Amino acid sequence: SVPKEMTGAASGALNSSRQLGATLGVAILGSILSGSESFAGGMHISLMVTAAVMLGGSLLSLAFIGRRKSN
């Protein structure tokens, strides 16, 4: 939803935020996994955190999809 002359900048910003999210996700879930007493327990907690984040993102997406842009 950006003007045609700004598509390159918007694409770069989208890719940068996606890479940053992936990097932070791996770091956070890795620290949860390494800080737990057992591998299975850490994996369980990491997957629950991932599910909660994905649910939150889904709810945000549902809240904003289909809205008309006000000018």
Side-chain angles (χ1 to χ4, degrees):
S1 67
V2 297
K4 287 185 180 183
E5 60 271 0
M6 298 294 293
T7 56
S11 176
L14 179 65
N15 280 327
S16 294
S17 63
R18 188 174 47 132
Q19 291 290 330
L20 179 64
T23 302
L24 288 175
V26 168
I28 291 169
L29 295 178
S31 66
I32 290 172
L33 186 62
S34 68
S36 65
E37 293 181 13
S38 68
F39 179 78
M43 189 61 93
H44 184 74
I45 294 169
S46 294
L47 291 174
M48 286 187 352
V49 168
T50 302
V53 169
M54 293 180 96
L55 179 65
S58 297
L59 293 175
L60 278 174
S61 294
L62 285 173
F64 289 104
I65 287 177
R67 286 192 174 187
R68 298 249 180 218
K69 187 174 154 182
S70 61
N71 292 330

